[in-house]
């Protein structure tokens, strides 16, 4: 197949192509791509806005990350931030810096992923910006959401005796990245080699194509449960728990035997001679939700298959501790990813 260079169709030609993947599903979307700015009508709702930038070589590696997955992930990680405010995502803007080595077809692959995510999360692509890059690919997504003012959930409102909960399982995305890095090195050493991904599918999928937990946000609403505080897990459970506790002025006790992990996480950590507990507590990029609920909501969530009750909020003086099955408490450390300390 002959690939089309970006020079052939130019910036406006490209925008025109990208416009085709723009959806319009939300009543608040008044005007999307095509003018100097998009127009949104929030009605009586409050508007929630978040933005995230993904940089080639820092956040993703195109040797093993398909462009379609990358587009999906760029949207999902932004939707995850909107979900963590207990809001509903409604619009996104996508800004791209692209080097000349990318073909129009490659950019369309990226936008296929963006479009699929827009459909799944019911958000409208209403604009963005397109420019050239002298180095790698940069994708910035801004997500807009809406919520009734009384429904928004912040990080700084956890209370002593609240239950600490998490969705899904942890540590898989981090180990997925270790697997992909290992296979890349093996491939560079011997290009004839086939990647060994058997029994690792879940890990790789969690790294390349994470989901925002909007499903749980809707289910909590149906159950009549409003979290008392919430954050999404991009940098690891421990690090996010420090954010909630630090901003709320409380401590927490987390029970080690409650930590949710897939079997592939336990097996693979062993293979890499890593402590599975470290992967679960500090892995990052799982995009699950960490939240607290009132003790009185216990019955409403205790049987939910995707929610695990990990522990409880305690007075600040008690600190943040991991309680082992034998009952010993060890202070938790936030070893999350800090881009300026690597
Ligand atoms: P301006 O020069 O005023 O910034 P642009 O030519 O950059 O306008 O954009 C024209 C329209 O196309 C705008 O509605 C803008 O939001 C949209 N747009 C530009 N780049 C993208 C992109 N990568 N994805 C989605 N929409 C885009
Ligand atoms: Mg512009």
């Amino acid at each position: 197949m002959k690939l089309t260079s970006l020079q052939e169709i130019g910036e406006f030609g490209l925008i025109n192509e990208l416009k085709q993947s723009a959806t319009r599903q939300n009543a608040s979307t008044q005007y999307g791509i095509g003018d100097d700015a998009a127009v949104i009508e929030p009605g009586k709702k409050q508007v929630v806005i978040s933005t995230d930038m993904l940089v080639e070589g820092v956040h993703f590696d195109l040797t093993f990350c398909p462009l379609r997955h990358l587009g999906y992930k760029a949207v999902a990680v932004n939707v995850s931030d909107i979900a963590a405010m207990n809001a509903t995502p409604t619009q996104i803007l996508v800004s791209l810096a692209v080097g000349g080595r990318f073909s129009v077809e490659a950019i369309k692959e990226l936008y296929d992923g963006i479009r699929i995510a827009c459909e799944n999360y019911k958000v409208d692509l209403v604009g963005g910006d397109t420019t050239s890059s002298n180095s790698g690919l940069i994708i910035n997504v801004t997500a807009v959401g809406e919520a009734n003012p009384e429904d928004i959930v912040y990080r700084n409102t956890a209370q002593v005796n609240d239950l600490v909960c998490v969705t899904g399982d942890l540590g898989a995305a981090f180990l997925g990245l270790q697997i992909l890095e290992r296979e890349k090195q093996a491939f560079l050493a011997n290009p004839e080699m086939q990647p060994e991904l058997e029994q690792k599918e879940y890990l790789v999928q969690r790294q390349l194509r994470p989901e925002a937990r909007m499903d749980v946000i809707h289910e909590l609403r149906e159950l009549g449960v409003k979290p008392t505080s919430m954050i999404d897990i991009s940098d690891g459970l421990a690090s996010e728990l420090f954010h909630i506790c630090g901003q709320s002025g409380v401590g927490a006790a987390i029970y080690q035997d409650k930590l949710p992990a897939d079997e592939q996480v336990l097996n693979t950590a062993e293979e890499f001679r890593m402590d599975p507990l470290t992967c679960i507590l500090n892995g990052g990029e799982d995009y699950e939700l960490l939240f607290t609920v009132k003790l009185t909501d216990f019955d409403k969530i205790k049987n939910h298959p995707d929610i695990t009750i990990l522990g409880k909020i305690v007075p600040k003086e008690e600190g943040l501790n991991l309680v082992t099955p034998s009952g010993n408490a060890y202070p938790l450390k936030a070893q999350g990813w800090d881009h300026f300390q690597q």
Side-chain angles (χ1 to χ4, degrees):
M1 193 175 90
K2 184 188 166 292
L3 295 179
T4 319
S5 74
L6 286 171
Q7 287 85 348
E8 273 174 65
I9 65 165
E11 181 187 334
F12 296 118
L14 179 67
I15 293 173
N16 232 350
E17 296 269 350
L18 301 182
K19 202 174 158 180
Q20 312 305 325
S21 54
T23 55
R24 193 136 145 212
Q25 315 185 56
N26 289 288
S28 57
T29 305
Q30 292 288 309
Y31 199 91
I33 295 176
D35 214 306
D36 295 308
V39 180
I40 293 169
E41 168 55 68
K44 291 200 167 56
K45 303 269 176 94
Q46 279 187 341
V47 175
V48 179
I49 306 183
S50 181
T51 194
D52 250 308
M53 183 144 68
L54 298 180
V55 177
E56 185 177 354
V58 178
H59 300 97
F60 59 89
D61 184 333
L62 289 175
T63 15
F64 51 68
C65 182
L67 282 163
R68 187 184 281 246
H69 285 13
L70 182 63
Y72 193 95
K73 182 170 178 172
V75 177
V77 302
N78 275 277
V79 167
S80 179
D81 280 319
I82 302 294
M85 299 302 288
N86 200 32
T88 305
T90 44
Q91 290 88 17
I92 57 163
L93 294 108
V94 177
S95 294
L96 294 180
V98 225
R101 72 185 158 100
F102 287 90
S103 63
V104 172
E105 287 76 10
I107 301 302
K108 279 185 170 169
E109 274 291 307
L110 181 77
Y111 266 76
D112 273 346
I114 292 175
R115 180 180 45 78
I116 295 166
C118 283
E119 284 168 12
N120 280 3
Y121 299 118
K122 301 189 168 51
V123 299
D124 301 336
L125 172 64
V126 296
D129 197 25
T130 311
T131 181
S132 56
S133 163
N134 293 333
S135 51
L137 176 66
I138 301 175
I139 310 170
N140 179 257
V141 177
T142 299
V144 178
E146 53 190 42
N148 292 319
E150 65 275 18
D151 290 336
I152 296 182
V153 175
Y154 295 90
R155 296 177 178 183
N156 61 1
T157 40
Q159 302 260 342
V160 173
N161 289 330
D162 286 350
L163 299 171
V164 178
C165 309
V166 72
T167 60
D169 56 63
L170 302 171
F174 169 75
L175 284 167
L177 183 60
Q178 307 312 307
I179 295 281
L180 289 164
E181 296 278 6
R182 180 181 76 186
E183 296 309 311
K184 178 185 173 182
Q185 293 313 320
F187 176 80
L188 290 176
N190 173 16
E192 301 290 297
M193 203 218 74
Q194 288 296 311
E196 275 176 52
L197 299 176
E198 210 177 308
Q199 304 283 301
K200 309 290 182 210
E201 297 87 353
Y202 181 64
L203 306 179
V204 169
Q205 176 217 322
R206 294 279 285 170
Q207 168 58 224
L208 294 181
R209 202 181 182 284
E211 286 290 357
R213 296 313 302 259
M214 276 312 298
D215 55 337
V216 176
I217 293 299
H218 293 304
E219 285 157 15
L220 286 172
R221 213 164 283 169
E222 279 159 26
L223 291 167
V225 176
K226 181 192 168 191
T228 54
S229 69
M230 185 151 56
I231 191 168
D232 70 323
I233 304 184
S234 48
D235 297 334
L237 173 72
S239 170
E240 313 300 357
L241 191 62
F242 268 90
H243 286 305
I244 285 192
C245 289
Q247 293 192 26
S248 301
V250 296
I254 296 299
Y255 296 91
Q256 187 183 336
D257 56 0
K258 303 280 189 222
L259 292 171
D262 189 86
E263 207 168 313
Q264 288 187 10
V265 165
L266 305 177
N267 297 339
T268 308
E270 204 168 291
E271 219 179 292
F272 280 91
R273 297 176 194 282
M274 286 178 178
D275 179 8
L277 191 57
T278 307
C279 300
I280 294 164
L281 289 174
N282 302 307
E285 289 204 283
D286 286 313
Y287 297 101
E288 296 293 342
L289 294 169
L290 174 68
F291 59 99
T292 54
V293 299
K294 288 200 193 70
L295 196 53
T296 47
D297 284 329
F298 173 73
D299 280 334
K300 294 186 194 158
I301 58 164
K302 67 176 182 199
N303 292 324
H304 194 294
D306 284 336
I307 296 176
T308 306
I309 301 168
L310 289 179
K312 60 181 189 228
I313 297 292
V314 300
K316 185 180 178 177
E317 302 72 57
E318 294 180 29
L320 277 73
N321 290 289
L322 181 73
V323 183
T324 62
S326 55
N328 294 325
Y330 294 98
L332 273 174
K333 290 188 192 74
Q335 294 176 324
W337 185 260
D338 183 330
H339 280 280
F340 298 109
Q341 294 189 341
Q342 300 307 315

